[in-house]
Amino acid sequence: MSEPITYLEHWDRTDAFDPPAVLRKLSAEQPLSRMVYPDGHVGWLATGIDVVKQVLSNPAFSHNFHSAHFPLTKKGQPFPTMPIIPGLFIHMDPPGHTRYRAVLTGEFTTNRVAVLGERIEVAAVEQLTALRGLGSPADLVAGYVQPLCRRVLNDLLGVPDEGGAILARLSETANDDAVPVEDEFAASSDAFLYLRDRVEKERADPGDSMIGRLTAVPGLTDQEITNMLLVVFAAGLTTCEGALAATSLALLHHREQLEAFRAACANGAGVDNAVEELLRYTTVNQYLIFRTALTDVELGGHSIRAGDTVTISLPAANRDGSRFAHAELLDLSRDPSGHLAFGYGVHICLAQRLARRLLTVALRTLVTGLPGLALVVPIGEVRLRARTSVFSIHDLPVRW
Ligand code: HEM
């Protein structure tokens, strides 16, 4: 095996759609590589789809913060280790993780998403009308993507718009690489206090909302519920905004695929498949997916030692040529099943059904409602959020 790579040297994403060159090269040539972490730990980087799936589905790999070495730094500072707090289930392992996840699964059933989906249809049409009201040209991110995603997340949790603005700071600070880590923590703290207040109110007088239903679950404390809600909101808003911006841009840049998408919307066939391919092609969770070995494990012909952290590149895995022919091409007619845009294993996206519905409705409403939609700037001038853990776009100037 060649020399360990230093992740930070190759961190920035310079292309709107492709993972950094080093990750693409590794995905093609070397599914598992040694990697030096910011704290000096020599761990691993997984870029091949089979190895990634093995790590994410093997209980020998932990998602616990305590055992991890952090693959990401912000402004050159190591990311601080956080304590394991009750309810912060995204960084727990089974059985603790299982308990919280099982409670929340009821919030994302087919029936629940069908009800939310009807409201998404209404919200998308209203936001498109608001975008038209801004006049052409306008910024698609500020004028459509953000307000729509925020509305859907607020509706899911059952919080009013003013509360949603406090929660949205979470996404704004996490999504801006110019914001210091301290500001992110301040936004988390404000969001926690706001949500705890909502939980206390709903416990006293439960309504028909996610928060109200969680307060009715026997044995869950207010602190646990507040942290569960924080996880849902934080994991949901940044990814939805990033994915809707990136998939919109992908369609606007690939005009023949845009026309194929419009045709699929018109005849009602192939839209779901097209959204899957857009998810694969854009894979927005670009950094900060990692697991740490609890025991020695054999993986892809290598010996992983207990304590080794393995960073996962989902964008690289989704460009693995052994699974997806001409993986670098956006092809809405291909079979993209088995892509890892929502992760894999016990932490696979809890809300993938809702996320798919949101993307489908939002993209369909946009491209059918604005037949002349086009980018105003060359693709190379679109301002990318290249360093954030979830890839996104600052602004997207469009005309129609
Ligand atoms: C297109 C949009 C989305 C994408 C691409 C996405 C992607 C992901 C990925 C890759 C993971 C796995 C993380 C890991 O293994 O470390 C994940 C987990 C999660 N996602 Fe999503 N997500 C999206 C939308 C949402 C939404 C809308 C919500 C909530 C409303 C949500 C809530 C969660 C939660 C709670 C987890 C943690 C699950 C667990 O630890 O068991 N996601 N998501």
Side-chain angles (χ1 to χ4, degrees):
M1 178 172 278
S2 47
E3 283 295 296
I5 64 160
T6 305
Y7 200 38
L8 291 183
E9 283 173 11
H10 314 285
W11 191 8
D12 282 354
R13 180 153 159 173
T14 51
D15 188 274
F17 307 114
D18 289 336
V22 68
L23 295 181
R24 273 182 285 142
K25 188 166 184 299
L26 289 173
S27 172
E29 296 170 4
Q30 196 167 293
L32 187 64
S33 315
R34 299 239 65 166
M35 184 173 88
V36 183
Y37 286 65
D39 64 358
H41 170 66
V42 183
W44 303 86
L45 170 65
T47 47
I49 193 163
D50 292 333
V51 168
V52 165
K53 283 164 78 173
Q54 285 171 49
V55 174
L56 294 179
S57 58
N58 186 339
F61 289 100
S62 167
H63 205 336
N64 192 316
F65 264 136
H66 282 302
S67 43
H69 299 269
F70 282 80
L72 179 74
T73 70
K74 195 157 185 173
K75 301 195 106 191
Q77 302 161 0
F79 228 80
T81 309
M82 294 199 249
I84 294 297
I85 308 168
L88 208 70
F89 63 97
I90 196 167
H91 284 292
M92 289 180 180
D93 297 327
H97 165 263
T98 322
R99 171 176 167 249
Y100 295 115
R101 179 152 173 139
V103 168
L104 281 169
T105 301
E107 296 297 327
F108 299 98
T109 58
T110 313
N111 286 347
R112 191 87 77 199
V113 171
V115 172
L116 290 166
E118 285 172 20
R119 303 210 286 260
I120 295 173
E121 299 269 1
V122 173
V125 171
E126 288 179 3
Q127 291 306 153
L128 193 72
T129 304
L131 177 68
R132 278 204 197 93
L134 295 174
S136 170
D139 173 13
L140 193 65
V141 172
Y144 185 71
V145 170
Q146 286 178 345
L148 178 57
C149 293
R150 289 168 193 203
R151 204 167 147 175
V152 171
L153 265 288
N154 295 349
D155 185 33
L156 172 74
L157 263 61
V159 298
D161 288 349
E162 343 45 287
I166 298 172
L167 300 180
R169 282 291 296 154
L170 273 179
S171 166
E172 286 160 8
T173 53
N175 233 349
D176 190 341
D177 41 26
V179 168
V181 182
E182 300 77 53
D183 289 11
E184 271 188 72
F185 286 143
S188 288
S189 169
D190 291 346
F192 178 87
L193 293 174
Y194 173 75
L195 284 173
R196 198 183 56 190
D197 184 57
R198 295 288 309 170
V199 172
E200 284 167 2
K201 289 198 170 90
E202 292 270 348
R203 195 179 282 290
D205 181 17
D208 182 20
S209 70
M210 181 193 284
I211 304 181
R213 285 187 288 275
L214 289 177
T215 59
V217 176
L220 278 184
T221 66
D222 287 2
Q223 188 200 20
E224 285 176 304
I225 297 172
T226 307
N227 283 322
M228 290 163 76
L229 295 168
L230 261 184
V231 169
V232 170
F233 196 90
L237 185 58
T238 320
T239 44
C240 280
E241 289 182 357
L244 182 51
T247 53
S248 301
L249 178 61
L251 286 176
L252 290 172
H253 182 59
H254 299 87
R255 302 298 298 184
E256 72 300 341
Q257 299 297 312
L258 174 62
E259 290 320 314
F261 189 70
R262 276 211 180 95
C265 292
N267 61 36
V271 177
D272 291 349
N273 194 76
V275 169
E276 293 308 309
E277 167 66 355
L278 285 163
L279 279 160
R280 178 198 74 83
Y281 183 68
T282 55
T283 313
V284 292
N285 288 68
Q286 55 181 355
Y287 303 118
L288 220 73
I289 309 278
F290 55 93
R291 301 291 189 269
T292 300
L294 298 171
T295 57
D296 294 353
V297 189
E298 287 301 309
L299 184 68
H302 300 285
S303 301
I304 312 289
R305 308 299 300 272
D308 283 2
T309 293
V310 184
T311 286
I312 308 292
S313 174
L314 294 179
N318 274 346
R319 296 294 177 93
D320 188 329
S322 69
R323 166 62 191 88
F324 306 105
H326 304 292
E328 72 288 359
L329 299 180
L330 174 69
D331 175 2
L332 300 189
S333 66
R334 81 159 78 230
D335 169 15
S337 57
H339 72 75
L340 303 183
F342 289 116
Y344 193 73
V346 295
H347 290 280
I348 193 168
C349 184
L350 177 64
Q352 50 182 293
R353 201 177 271 132
L354 176 66
R356 287 186 165 106
R357 187 93 169 105
L358 169 58
L359 283 182
T360 305
V361 172
L363 291 171
R364 173 169 34 78
T365 307
L366 181 68
V367 306
T368 56
L370 297 177
L373 191 67
L375 272 177
V376 171
V377 294
I379 186 81
E381 288 178 22
V382 174
R383 297 193 310 134
L384 312 178
R385 295 189 189 272
R387 272 202 163 192
T388 46
S389 58
V390 175
F391 173 70
S392 188
I393 293 162
H394 281 278
D395 40 36
L396 210 46
V398 293
R399 60 176 161 75
W400 56 87

